[in-house]
Amino acid sequence: MSRRRWGLAGLALASVVSLTLVGCSPSATDPGTSPSAGASDAIITTNGNEPQAPLITFGTTEVGGGKILTSIYAGLVSYTANGEPVNEVADSIESDDNITWTVKVKDGWTFTNGEAITAKTFVDTWTAAAKDPAGAYWYTNVEGVTEDGKGEPTGFAVVDDSTFTVKLKQAEADWPLRLGYTAYMPLPSVAFEDMEAFGENPIGNGPYKLEGEGAWRHDEGINLVKNEDYKGVREVKNAGLNIVFYTSLDAAYADARTGNLDVLDAVPDTSFASFETDFPDRSVNQPAAIYQGFNIPFYLDHFANDEEGKLRRAAISMSINRAEITDKIFLGTRTPATDFTSPVVDGWTDDLAGAEVLAYNPEEAKKLWAQADAISPYEGTFTIAYNSDGPHQAWVDAVANSISNTLGVKAEGLPFPTFAAALDKRVTGTLEGATRAGWQADYPSQYNFLSAQYSTGGSSNYEGYSSKDFDAKLAEATAAGSLEESTAFYKEAQEILMKDLPSVPLWYQNAVGVWAEGVQNVVFGWDSVPLYHDITKG
């Protein structure tokens, strides 16, 4: 997503990925940059996709924008390659009751315009986010904040220049885990003068900064350079980062093979069988915090959260041969899902009650579909929408064929040219069928996978799911006295999801990527995003 809903970069990063070439792919090397003379002077090129909205920390929930924001901003904490939180701008984050938290900010931090970052900076930013419909979701656990952004936040208080407090509505043991996500990163005061304009040329405090006016070339790419004033734990070992917005993952892969792209954080499905030999000792295939599935809107006829809808959702799920698809199409780069989160997140389980609905069972699927038809006959075509600027077409076609062959209904993929176009149909609630969906974790917690996508009013709950039982169980999990105690509640919450199937789980996506010759120190993190600041070449 969390972020994150995915574009070209992965699925997923929900989400999150198939391809159609739309015009010519941009070059990985901008004419305004010159080749590096040495490792520390290198400009690292990588793939990305056009952000859906202006680059505002609390208003971006997709991978394209998120990749940029995490490079140009630093929050209270950041995450290691393994997903461990480490203090960055924060000196300490403490609480005696998991309700009232005291945060101390390190001295000496500034934005790239020279403005000092203080406790007031965070309170001002978080208050603005909590009063904005785009950002309020991330703060609804704070006293006074409402999901529509119309509440008056009363839970933030400045103690002194370096100290502020946050009072939550209830105890949340995992609250500090969230603070490395972009929605909690600070903004300079100039941002509040004209937020949309600021989002076109943002001023941050992270390891990189925009190269200058015009650095964001819409639909082409964005150029970042090293921020010499950055004081955090992500020491930058190169001179900058050029992110190229490819319209075709195949084109990006070809550029990586010829050395015109340094790092590619995804591999087209056409190259799953060859990427390890195409890039000897320059590839990765490792578990990541990425879930992939597809959602069927509850506002569609025959798929409401009632008896007929539940029968049809279960039938469709049981008609899909996940093992065969992950084996023949993904060649070991995916693993059939057993829950709604990820194996790399603490608390993951493969023994949820009701998970038999994820097993390929054509006879039971036909039986359930017939029971649903007895309530109200289904006619028409079952479609699965997806963005064709990512590697999705092959698996969407395979899933559709599996549904058709099992249930005897017409099912097919429905491509949209870009991730943004596909996401707009979800945001506006105008889908006429199912939609590819996925999630790349914003922070390493089961809550992140479950809340934004499935809680009533969640920031990424576009398909209209609402369950009082699920919401209550999620609240119990967050109120638990410790992270360990919350695990049982998250399991019970997921068992509710397994009955309702707001999303049909398909598989977990590995971090699969490659890099060009001469590029060194490439490490992919827990969330499948490369640690760009460590990369060198030359």
Side-chain angles (χ1 to χ4, degrees), residues 68-82:
I68 300 166
L69 288 171
T70 53
S71 297
I72 64 176
Y73 283 96
L76 292 170
V77 305
S78 61
Y79 305 112
T80 67
N82 295 326

Side-chain angles (χ1 to χ4, degrees), residues 22-193:
V22 181
C24 297
S25 294
S27 168
T29 303
D30 182 77
T33 64
S34 58
S36 161
S40 63
D41 299 324
I43 296 293
I44 304 301
T45 58
T46 190
N47 65 300
N49 55 280
E50 174 73 10
Q52 188 192 23
L55 294 169
I56 304 300
T57 54
F58 55 77
T60 298
T61 58
E62 41 78 33
V63 170
K67 178 184 291 187
I68 300 166
L69 288 171
T70 53
S71 297
I72 64 176
Y73 283 96
L76 292 170
V77 305
S78 61
Y79 305 112
T80 67
N82 295 326
E84 295 295 325
V86 293
N87 284 353
E88 188 146 37
V89 181
D91 187 48
S92 63
I93 305 170
E94 299 176 339
S95 178
D96 294 329
D97 57 8
N98 293 338
I99 296 177
T100 300
W101 294 84
T102 299
V103 180
K104 290 188 176 295
V105 178
K106 292 175 182 175
D107 292 332
W109 277 82
T110 63
F111 292 104
T112 56
N113 65 354
E115 180 180 329
I117 298 174
T118 66
K120 185 176 184 298
T121 304
F122 280 94
V123 169
D124 287 349
T125 302
W126 291 7
T127 298
K131 297 174 72 172
D132 187 298
Y137 167 78
W138 302 102
Y139 297 89
T140 52
N141 56 343
V142 176
E143 276 198 349
V145 180
T146 58
E147 290 185 357
D148 58 8
K150 295 181 179 179
E152 186 61 40
T154 57
F156 304 128
V158 175
V159 177
D160 55 42
D161 282 350
S162 62
T163 310
F164 69 99
T165 59
V166 178
K167 188 173 183 180
L168 306 180
K169 295 174 182 176
Q170 62 181 21
E172 294 186 13
D174 71 344
W175 183 73
L177 278 180
R178 310 177 188 187
L179 302 182
Y181 177 46
T182 53
Y184 301 101
M185 293 178 179
L187 293 175
S189 56
V190 66
F192 308 114
E193 297 173 7

Side-chain angles (χ1 to χ4, degrees), residues 422-437:
L423 184 58
D424 282 343
K425 296 292 286 186
R426 299 183 63 192
V427 172
T428 57
T430 54
L431 288 164
E432 297 179 358
T435 176
R436 178 198 70 80

Side-chain angles (χ1 to χ4, degrees), residues 443-456:
Y443 52 89
S445 168
Q446 286 188 295
Y447 181 84
N448 182 238
F449 283 89
L450 302 178
S451 178
Q453 296 186 88
Y454 311 121
S455 64
T456 302

Side-chain angles (χ1 to χ4, degrees), residues 361-488:
N361 189 337
E363 293 306 316
E364 183 65 15
K366 293 175 185 176
K367 176 183 174 182
L368 296 177
W369 193 260
Q371 291 176 9
D373 272 345
I375 298 173
S376 178
Y378 181 86
E379 298 177 355
T381 301
F382 183 82
T383 59
I384 302 175
Y386 66 94
N387 53 296
S388 60
D389 61 352
H392 300 304
Q393 182 176 353
W395 73 257
V396 170
D397 288 347
V399 167
N401 288 337
S402 194
I403 294 171
S404 291
N405 294 337
T406 301
L407 300 180
V409 300
K410 185 178 180 181
E412 60 187 23
L414 179 63
F416 286 83
T418 64
F419 174 71
L423 184 58
D424 282 343
K425 296 292 286 186
R426 299 183 63 192
V427 172
T428 57
T430 54
L431 288 164
E432 297 179 358
T435 176
R436 178 198 70 80
W439 194 259
Q440 175 190 20
D442 306 307
Y443 52 89
S445 168
Q446 286 188 295
Y447 181 84
N448 182 238
F449 283 89
L450 302 178
S451 178
Q453 296 186 88
Y454 311 121
S455 64
T456 302
S459 64
S460 296
N461 184 355
Y462 302 123
E463 281 68 61
Y465 177 63
S466 180
S467 167
K468 292 182 180 179
D469 291 340
F470 173 78
D471 292 344
K473 195 59 63 177
L474 203 61
E476 287 185 88
T478 58
S482 68
L483 297 178
E484 292 75 17
E485 291 176 26
S486 68
T487 298

Side-chain angles (χ1 to χ4, degrees), residues 249-250 252-259 261-262 264 266-284 331 512-518:
L249 194 56
D250 289 299
Y253 188 82
D255 273 356
R257 291 194 68 180
T258 59
L261 185 72
D262 294 324
L264 176 61
V267 170
D269 50 14
T270 53
S271 299
F272 283 150
S274 63
F275 76 92
E276 292 178 321
T277 54
D278 289 343
F279 294 84
D281 300 318
R282 290 180 284 114
S283 66
V284 65
L331 302 178
V512 181
V514 297
W515 51 95
E517 279 193 76

